[in-house]
Amino acid sequence: MTWAPDNTRATNMPGMPAMGQAYARWINARGGINGHELRVLTCNEGNEPMAAAACARRAVQEGVVAVVGSYSHNGRAFMPPLEAANIPYIGGYGLTDDEFRSPVSYPVNGGQAALLAGNGIQLADSCDRVSLVRPDTLTGADLPQILNTGLAQGHHRTAIDIPAADDAGEYTAEARQAREKAGEKGGCVTAALGEHTANFFDSFRRLPDDGKDVKVSSVLGSVDQPLIDRTGGANGPFEGAYLTGWYPDAGDPRWEPMKQVLREHAFADNRIDPADTGVQTTWIAYTVLREVVESLGDQKITSGLIGQALHRGVRVDTGGLTPPLRWRWEDMLGTPGTPRAVNSEVTFQVVRKGRLVAQKEGFVDVGPTLRRAAAH
């Protein structure tokens, strides 16, 4: 099963279940995985705890062998049913603590913490002062410490912390404060408000011109190529923006196998954008599922067998989209916030001529930064 919110007032990720279905069409057209047909069920997680729990209970009732490449803020609601049924949760989007703590969870990225740590390192070289606009929530309260630990690697002063509602329609007051606190010259404003990051930067763009040269920044998932396109591309608010991501930029040739699958099996499905971080995460998560099932040969595939294979340390090659992935205890980061993270690498990107491109080649390992942040 793959679940994600759709048709809600908050973040929607319809491309993730659609990617799962496209992956199944592709793999089954090639004879399945070791002869096993891949059947993908989808569920609307609704951005609601009750709906997320209902998706998880349905996964149990339907006997799914794994929940793959899904998006939810409601880990406390969906994880207990999966744990009780021993159903692996492979490659969730990385939004909640539960995804990095549950014994049935197998994350493929370092979550929001890795992005914020990387964003701090990225901005330390480029900005004199930094304003951070983040959700006024319990989870959001951890973000300044993580960003500041990244900034400190460049001997940079701490960021100005600006909490904001994560579901507002406009952010004029927060935008004005962020711009003022970023200083007179060489300042940066970074925002991590999920789907409402676009609303924040729209308010930021509408502020009266005060002559300050303030750069903007964010993390992938809060800002991505589809959003940059919708807001004017090279003429929009994100031209020149610094962004930290989990994976290579969308134009990188390592995404070509995924794009080929979409051309062949989802060419008319406008829910799927290959530049969308959720779609990319789902592709990587299904790559994990495929390699695990292939490692099991012609055995009858069960959730327990998949969990055992992952726990024993099946090594997954994602074609360079991530480092090789495996989930033995010795592979895990082990920090209090993200103990089960096995991929602490991020990428630095920048918007040039309306396109997200690599600012720095290759990956940056933020594992040491996350350990330092946890020590504080």
Side-chain angles (χ1 to χ4, degrees):
M1 178 180 279
T2 297
W3 63 53
D6 191 14
N7 291 317
T8 74
R9 292 178 58 193
T11 301
N12 295 299
M13 285 283 179
M16 296 178 73
M19 177 77 243
Q21 293 173 318
Y23 194 97
R25 289 193 293 272
W26 168 64
I27 209 76
N28 291 331
R30 302 171 64 203
I33 308 174
N34 270 7
H36 301 286
E37 181 190 359
L38 174 61
R39 195 157 63 93
V40 174
L41 307 180
T42 64
C43 193
N44 183 358
E45 182 271 353
N47 274 320
E48 292 285 345
M50 288 181 64
C55 286
R57 289 195 300 271
R58 184 179 156 217
V60 175
Q61 291 161 359
E62 298 268 9
V64 307
V65 297
V67 176
V68 184
S70 295
Y71 184 105
S72 178
H73 283 278
N74 299 298
R76 290 181 184 176
F78 72 72
M79 206 63 87
L82 299 186
E83 290 175 350
N86 199 27
I87 295 174
Y89 186 73
I90 300 173
Y93 193 82
L95 292 169
T96 68
D97 291 346
D98 306 81
E99 292 175 64
F100 295 97
R101 290 178 175 160
S102 170
V104 301
S105 183
Y106 301 88
V108 299
N109 60 48
Q112 186 87 339
L115 294 179
L116 262 291
N119 197 227
I121 297 169
Q122 184 180 21
L123 296 183
D125 291 337
S126 308
C127 312
D128 183 45
R129 302 208 64 174
V130 176
S131 295
L132 167 65
V133 184
R134 50 84 177 175
D136 190 7
T137 62
L138 280 174
T139 304
D142 294 333
L143 301 184
Q145 175 62 47
I146 298 169
L147 182 82
N148 286 334
T149 307
L151 287 169
Q153 283 190 223
H155 308 289
H156 198 286
R157 70 182 96 179
T158 57
I160 307 300
D161 179 26
I162 303 174
D166 61 355
D167 59 354
E170 62 89 31
Y171 292 91
T172 303
E174 293 87 353
R176 186 179 296 113
Q177 184 185 1
R179 190 176 184 91
E180 288 171 357
K181 299 290 187 180
E184 293 299 319
K185 186 178 180 182
C188 292
V189 172
T190 189
L193 292 166
E195 193 166 83
H196 288 266
T197 304
N199 294 357
F200 170 79
F201 280 117
D202 186 54
S203 296
F204 187 83
R205 178 172 56 167
R206 294 172 188 272
L207 292 175
D209 185 8
D210 56 8
K212 293 181 181 178
D213 178 25
V214 178
K215 294 274 192 185
V216 300
S217 174
S218 189
V219 293
L220 264 289
S222 287
V223 174
D224 55 15
Q225 189 63 56
L227 175 60
I228 294 164
D229 294 341
R230 288 198 305 272
T231 54
N235 298 314
F238 298 108
E239 182 64 18
Y242 301 114
L243 295 169
T244 308
W246 290 308
Y247 316 124
D249 64 271
D252 191 286
R254 285 170 284 190
W255 291 113
E256 187 53 35
M258 179 188 75
K259 292 176 181 176
Q260 183 62 35
V261 167
L262 294 178
R263 282 193 291 269
E264 293 177 7
H265 297 277
F267 64 92
D269 193 336
N270 59 13
R271 294 173 298 172
I272 306 177
D273 188 325
D276 178 80
T277 314
V279 168
Q280 295 171 347
T281 299
T282 304
W283 169 263
I284 291 167
Y286 272 95
T287 301
V288 172
L289 178 72
R290 187 186 82 228
E291 294 200 22
V292 171
V293 172
E294 285 174 350
S295 78
L296 296 171
D298 57 3
Q299 300 180 72
K300 177 176 170 57
I301 305 302
T302 65
S303 60
L305 265 184
I306 289 176
Q308 286 174 26
L310 288 162
H311 192 66
R312 284 199 309 267
V314 169
R315 184 176 184 276
V316 176
D317 180 353
T318 63
L321 297 171
T322 68
L325 300 173
R326 58 199 307 181
W327 290 268
R328 301 169 303 176
W329 291 116
E330 56 264 41
D331 300 310
M332 295 180 183
L333 192 59
T335 59
T338 55
R340 289 185 62 82
V342 298
N343 173 13
S344 56
E345 298 196 355
V346 298
T347 58
F348 293 167
Q349 300 174 34
V350 64
V351 182
R352 291 198 183 110
K353 298 181 180 176
R355 306 303 299 173
L356 264 172
V357 297
Q359 183 194 20
K360 174 186 172 88
E361 290 301 320
F363 291 95
V364 176
D365 185 5
V366 299
T369 310
L370 291 172
R371 290 189 188 98
R372 279 195 293 275
H376 294 304

